[in-house]
Amino acid sequence: MVGSPKQPGQETEQLGEDRSKIISLAQPLLASITEITESVESIEIEQENLIEIGCYFQRTSPAIMELISSENTPRNATEILQSLSKSINFAKYLVRKCHSRANLISDDEVRNVIEQLMCVVRDMGECLSSIPPSTFGDQEYAEVAVHSLSKEMQQAHLEIGQPAEQKSNGSNSITVPAEEKTENGPAETDLYSIDIDVSIEKFQFLDMPQHVSLPEGINYMGQKDQLSSNSISVKSRPQVAKYMEPLYKTFFCPLTKTIMDDPVTIESGMTYERRAISRWLKKFENNQEEAFCPVTGNKLVNRGFSANLSLKSTIEMWKERNEGTRIKVARAALSLASSDDMILEALKDLQIISQRKKYKVQVRSSGVMPLVAQFLEHKDLEVRCATLKALQSIVMDDDDGKSRDVYAYDIGNHLVEKHASLTFLLELSTSELLCEKIGSATGLILMLITMKYNRSLDYFSAEKASSEQRQVEMAGYLGEIVLGHETRTFVAEKASPSLLNMVLSRNTLQRKAALKALLQISSYHLNSNILTEAGILPILIEEMFTQRNHNGPKDSKESSAAILANILDSGIEFENLKVNSQGHTMASDYVVYNLIHMLRNSNSDEINIHFIKVISCLTKSHQSRGTIVAVVKETEATYKLIELINSTNEELGTAALKLLIILIPYIGHMISDRLCKTRDQPENLIKKPTEVYRITERHAIAANFLAKLPRQSVAINLALLHKGTLPTIIQTVNEIQRSGTRASRFINSYLEGLVGILVRFTATLHEPEILFSARHQNLTAVFTELLMRTTSDEIQRLSATGLQNLSAESINLSKPPTIKRTKLLKLFHVPRSLSFGSSKKKTQVCPIHKGTCSAQLTFCLLDARAVERLLACLESGNPEVVEAALSALCTLLDDKVDVEKSIKILSEAKTMQNILHMLKEHREESVLQKSFWVIEKFLSKGNDSSTSDISQNRLLPSVLVSAFHQGEGNTRQMAEKILTHLNRMPNFSTNLSMWWSP
């Protein structure tokens, strides 16, 4: 049948509708993929396999973005995205299953989950293969990459349940048949093949939020990147971060905050960098009984540790894949060479990668060397010098590489180029195989002898006017170059005394250069002990607090404060470290008073940032924390800090908020009072971002600051209410829930802060305006939904706390139903906008509160169906979540309610079975108190059917006896009551084994 002809513009309109539908399908799909890849890192069981599966999911994101950004959108695009969404949703269910049952899931179940996830991977690979080649148009590289990924995913296989030693044999546990490798060439290890010469514009994707795990300006080895994003155009080269696999938190050492090279696991089960934990344990050599884990705080009976070969292998494979991607991106940039900036950035990136011998081999095998060498004859001096440095880094410590790659070039006339050229030749001369070739070049032998035996006469040194100038230039060099971890430690040990002497000199340039070098050295936390032992603290304090007679660099105080912040942030024990000849220590009043005085009087944003960081670090000490609180009260420094949170400087505002959060437990009411007296506060702290993925750290910290202020502060709560923030917060929470909590790295923290602010309002329900708003916004329903719609423990805890506060008011709000309306009342018409709930619910009598109840008007948990969701929270592994859920349930057993009927309803919901099951996992004091209180209520007010589970439980008597002997006062009393009810009270004249026998 021939269809009717389309009207003009109809086809274009249809295309726009299809594109809109495709994008609406793709956005939540990409968010879900990111959520999965970040979730698997927190699952400890079969973690290595789960991380590898997560990498597969993450690598599909660019393929999806290519699909939706293509001008040749295929007809089956919607079906492809729907199929991928179905697979990803099933994967999310499997990952959440591992999360929720982490302590209960068996090995067989784990294997089954991983096998199902691998089926999902293979299904997604098959789905990607259905993308027609015409989709990519002339973008051949994208077609090859997606085809390669699809093939790899369809053939993916994991060896499940093998020992870590077998998995760390240097090869990836994902296997590809050998015949595929030989027939079709080596499989791509990243999504985009950079082997094809393509224009740089093809690397740009649809403007959609993307997950980039590498911190800006930092490479994966924890080094500051030489490539300044401010000095080079964004369009100058392919964006490396788009092709990197996600960076997992488990890769980081808790002590050094950098990716581990040699991870080891100690007795507490925590994993650290070998060198870092060795230094930590060395502190306890003279008192081994005091040794404890720096993260968990548990005492260490055994101070030994074992290599975590599985994690080490996973990190190494991650590095190899990502370094391979960086090399390919650099190779593509050198091939294009569309600008000098692009060439420089690629050369410097190759220089950084080649610092480690393992990746140097990858650079050489990539075929990039001829591309690099061609720029030795480039017209730009900076490019030629960068080429020499890159070549030197690549061939250093590699005699075979030197023998294969010798390049003929003219040594230029410029001093910088001459020095770089001769340095490279000196490196080449260390290879015996090259000596003959170098010796045959006219003049080279003379130059090399000059450098080796009389360095003061080389082209740069001849220009030096004095030894002081050489020191300045060397210090400046140390402040500019990128140093590896081992190099920074070596430099700290060897150069610290000289650099500190330079700081003490009267030469302004010397002091400035030395401080810059010390700032970089101090950025590596393991150098803190070296610097303090060299005597840096008195010098820094002198620079910060004392006015010199001679002229010093204007940024001396800023650099000194930055170095001090780095040292204190490393976790060094500073309380007893002396800072001057008068005997003052780092934790003394002298230091605290001066720091806060300088903060109050400083107008420099950069200096204030470092002052606040130093003060925040000092609060970790009990001694200095008390002094800081006292001085802040005395000097009214809170006004200054509240002023700074309004700063346009993002980092300064964030730092001020963090310090105020630390001070809240001590002067929270003072901060609340002064915040309300500040113009445009507190409402400006919760400005809604224009888009969810634009949420910054400052947004998150500001929301959490408001949430942590004393909740009983009516002034703040009313100020927020009058500015209409309550409906705005609820709307934002709903938007975040719909978009997924992985759209921004700070979004989860931001969401926790918003929910915490909602809880604030439940603490002041005695205020009529707040009570009206809580009813109007139906906070009971909001918190009930949040209990199950989040994987965040903190949000679950806050939601349960909010329900507890609301439910505590139910008995006061529930009133007996009106039996008959008078004719007078019927004359008054209540506007529909002020009517809450249905008339049917208003006539019902709540069996617990003995009056008219509803979730919206009286906050009744029974009407809100919140009991089942609170009971589900008892399965959480977080004791704070369990305690909050129990506290909310306890409001239904208050003496003011009908306890007997409440127990009957709770029994039907299997409350006691859930509590007794929870006691198998949790023995925390606060959890035991709440649990025992509920159990005692059931025993004293319930009937035989409601107490049968208690009397028949075999575990409970031993828990009670243990709490009776070891618990605190209230816990012990409750345990005694329950044992008496059960006739199991220990008889001290009988054998211990008979205390709880029938």
Side-chain angles (χ1 to χ4, degrees), residues 750-806:
Y750 180 60
L751 181 59
E752 290 173 358
L754 294 181
V755 177
I757 297 172
L758 291 180
V759 176
R760 295 189 58 83
F761 294 102
T762 68
T764 52
L765 293 171
H766 57 274
E767 182 64 36
E769 289 183 75
I770 295 176
L771 175 61
F772 176 83
S773 296
R775 286 172 158 177
H776 186 66
Q777 298 298 330
N778 200 356
L779 287 186
T780 313
V782 172
F783 288 129
T784 303
E785 285 300 311
L786 281 171
L787 276 179
M788 300 304 291
R789 290 176 60 188
T790 180
T791 58
S792 166
D793 286 350
E794 180 62 12
I795 293 177
Q796 281 193 326
R797 184 190 71 81
L798 290 169
S799 300
T801 302
L803 288 174
Q804 175 196 352
N805 294 341
L806 292 169

Side-chain angles (χ1 to χ4, degrees), residues 103 113 124 404 557-558 595 731 855 884 889 928 939 965:
N103 295 327
V113 167
M124 291 177 68
R404 288 192 302 268
K557 281 183 171 58
E558 179 185 334
L595 279 170
Q731 179 186 358
L889 291 170
L928 289 178
L939 288 172
H965 286 282

Side-chain angles (χ1 to χ4, degrees), residues 52 118 164 216 270 287 373 411 536 580 677 809 881 938 967 985:
E52 290 181 6
M118 287 308 299
E216 184 177 352
M270 296 302 299
N287 193 355
I411 296 178
I536 195 174
N580 58 21
K677 293 178 182 178
E809 290 296 317
V881 175
F938 266 68
M985 189 63 191

Side-chain angles (χ1 to χ4, degrees), residues 595-608:
L595 279 170
I596 295 178
H597 172 75
M598 295 179 71
L599 174 64
R600 291 184 62 211
N601 294 282
S602 170
N603 293 320
S604 167
D605 284 357
E606 294 304 320
I607 291 179
N608 283 337

Side-chain angles (χ1 to χ4, degrees), residues 952-969:
Q952 295 174 12
N953 189 273
R954 297 183 179 181
L955 174 66
L956 181 61
S958 62
V959 175
L960 292 167
V961 170
S962 176
F964 177 72
H965 286 282
Q966 302 174 11
E968 296 178 359

Side-chain angles (χ1 to χ4, degrees), residues 435-668:
C435 287
E436 182 178 351
K437 293 183 180 180
I438 294 174
S440 63
T442 305
L444 283 183
I445 291 294
L446 177 60
M447 294 178 186
L448 292 174
I449 291 174
T450 301
M451 291 184 66
K452 187 171 184 179
Y453 294 106
N454 200 349
R455 294 175 182 268
S456 62
L457 298 179
D458 79 317
Y459 288 95
F460 266 165
S461 298
E463 296 295 319
K464 304 298 182 283
S466 66
S467 61
E468 281 191 353
Q469 188 171 352
R470 286 200 299 274
Q471 285 183 323
V472 170
E473 294 193 1
M474 181 58 70
Y477 179 67
L478 291 176
E480 294 289 347
I481 64 172
V482 175
L483 298 174
H485 294 168
E486 296 181 359
T487 307
R488 272 187 280 189
T489 301
F490 177 80
V491 171
E493 292 173 345
K494 300 299 181 182
S496 292
S498 299
L499 291 171
L500 293 179
N501 287 332
M502 291 172 64
V503 176
L504 295 172
S505 75
R506 292 178 177 270
N507 186 310
T508 299
L509 293 177
Q510 271 194 330
R511 295 175 59 221
K512 184 174 182 179
L515 286 169
K516 189 172 184 179
L518 288 169
L519 180 58
Q520 179 171 179
I521 292 171
S522 68
S523 65
Y524 183 42
H525 284 170
L526 290 183
N527 286 340
S528 297
N529 285 320
I530 298 172
L531 293 172
T532 53
E533 291 170 4
I536 195 174
L537 290 183
I539 296 174
L540 296 177
I541 295 298
E542 176 79 7
E543 287 290 317
M544 292 167 59
F545 296 167
T546 307
Q547 295 292 334
R548 292 177 175 269
N549 294 326
H550 55 275
N551 293 328
K554 294 182 179 179
D555 57 354
S556 171
K557 281 183 171 58
E558 179 185 334
S559 298
S560 299
I563 296 168
L564 183 59
N566 283 342
I567 292 173
L568 296 181
D569 191 47
S570 69
I572 190 173
E573 296 179 2
F574 58 82
E575 289 88 345
N576 299 320
L577 295 177
K578 293 184 178 180
V579 297
N580 58 21
S581 57
Q582 286 75 37
H584 292 129
T585 65
M586 197 65 229
S588 65
D589 295 358
Y590 166 76
V591 173
V592 173
Y593 271 91
N594 274 284
L595 279 170
I596 295 178
H597 172 75
M598 295 179 71
L599 174 64
R600 291 184 62 211
N601 294 282
S602 170
N603 293 320
S604 167
D605 284 357
E606 294 304 320
I607 291 179
N608 283 337
I609 288 170
H610 301 307
F611 281 162
I612 291 175
K613 287 182 178 179
V614 171
I615 295 170
S616 298
C617 290
L618 291 179
T619 59
K620 298 174 184 177
S621 163
H622 176 75
Q623 176 185 346
S624 57
R625 182 169 61 245
T627 306
I628 290 170
V629 172
V631 175
V632 169
K633 281 184 178 179
E634 179 183 332
T635 62
E636 297 186 341
T638 48
Y639 284 118
K640 176 71 173 184
L641 291 172
I642 291 172
E643 174 190 332
L644 293 179
I645 67 178
N646 293 319
S647 171
T648 56
N649 186 311
E650 191 85 2
E651 186 178 3
L652 177 58
T654 302
L657 285 166
K658 287 180 178 179
L659 179 54
L660 285 170
I661 288 175
I662 295 173
L663 297 175
I664 283 175
Y666 311 99
I667 54 173

Side-chain angles (χ1 to χ4, degrees), residues 83-358:
S83 177
L84 290 174
S85 297
K86 184 177 180 181
S87 297
I88 285 297
N89 287 336
F90 182 59
K92 283 175 63 177
Y93 163 77
L94 293 173
V95 172
R96 286 176 179 172
K97 182 179 179 181
C98 289
H99 265 294
S100 62
R101 302 183 60 198
N103 295 327
L104 302 174
I105 193 167
S106 66
D107 292 341
D108 289 337
E109 288 178 299
V110 173
R111 295 189 187 96
N112 184 43
V113 167
I114 292 178
E115 287 172 357
Q116 291 183 76
L117 285 172
M118 287 308 299
C119 289
V120 172
V121 169
R122 289 189 283 271
D123 288 342
M124 291 177 68
E126 184 177 355
C127 184
L128 291 177
S129 68
S130 64
I131 301 176
S134 59
T135 303
F136 306 102
D138 60 348
Q139 301 184 49
E140 186 182 357
Y141 76 98
E143 179 185 350
V144 172
V146 174
H147 175 74
S148 176
L149 175 62
S150 168
K151 198 169 188 178
E152 183 182 344
M153 292 177 72
Q154 290 181 72
Q155 298 171 348
H157 174 68
L158 285 179
E159 295 298 332
I160 304 172
Q162 286 193 358
E165 292 80 359
Q166 295 182 21
K167 292 183 179 182
S168 59
N169 59 3
S171 62
N172 199 326
S173 59
I174 301 176
T175 60
V176 179
E179 60 270 21
E180 292 295 336
K181 297 180 181 178
T182 56
E183 293 179 5
N184 301 317
E188 290 291 332
T189 57
D190 58 327
L191 180 58
Y192 287 91
S193 171
I194 317 292
D195 292 334
I196 300 171
D197 190 13
V198 293
S199 66
I200 212 65
E201 287 74 19
K202 293 180 182 178
F203 285 91
Q204 307 302 322
F205 294 107
L206 189 65
D207 185 19
M208 294 179 63
Q210 298 187 42
H211 170 69
V212 179
S213 299
L214 290 175
E216 184 177 352
I218 303 293
N219 66 24
Y220 74 84
M221 296 174 67
Q223 302 169 332
K224 289 186 179 179
D225 201 329
Q226 287 178 322
L227 311 178
S228 171
S229 58
N230 296 326
S231 62
I232 297 178
S233 170
V234 174
K235 294 182 179 179
S236 64
R237 71 182 180 108
Q239 298 300 298
V240 177
K242 288 186 178 182
Y243 306 98
M244 308 296 276
E245 291 184 8
L247 187 61
Y248 295 94
K249 294 178 183 177
T250 50
F251 293 177
F252 284 89
C253 172
L255 292 175
T256 65
K257 312 301 182 187
T258 56
I259 295 177
M260 292 179 282
D261 291 319
D262 188 8
V264 295
T265 303
I266 64 174
E267 183 186 37
S268 66
M270 296 302 299
T271 300
Y272 303 89
E273 177 67 35
R274 183 185 294 272
R275 180 186 294 179
I277 195 61
S278 296
R279 285 195 179 217
W280 171 269
L281 295 175
K282 192 175 181 180
K283 299 177 183 179
F284 306 101
E285 281 184 343
N286 298 328
N287 193 355
Q288 298 187 8
E289 294 181 358
E290 296 298 323
F292 64 92
C293 173
V295 172
T296 66
N298 296 337
K299 286 190 175 182
L300 301 176
V301 179
N302 181 5
R303 296 175 59 208
F305 44 73
S306 58
N308 193 329
L309 298 177
S310 177
L311 180 57
K312 183 176 182 179
S313 174
T314 301
I315 292 174
E316 286 301 321
M317 288 189 289
W318 178 86
K319 288 179 180 178
E320 288 177 13
R321 289 193 293 269
N322 282 344
E323 284 308 286
T325 300
R326 293 181 70 189
I327 293 167
K328 289 188 177 184
V329 171
R331 183 178 183 276
L334 293 177
S335 298
L336 295 168
S338 58
S339 70
D340 289 349
D341 286 339
M342 176 187 289
I343 299 169
L344 284 170
E345 195 166 356
L347 290 172
K348 291 177 182 179
D349 213 13
L350 289 173
Q351 183 183 351
I352 294 171
I353 297 170
S354 300
Q355 287 180 354
R356 296 187 66 179
K357 188 173 182 179
K358 183 173 183 179

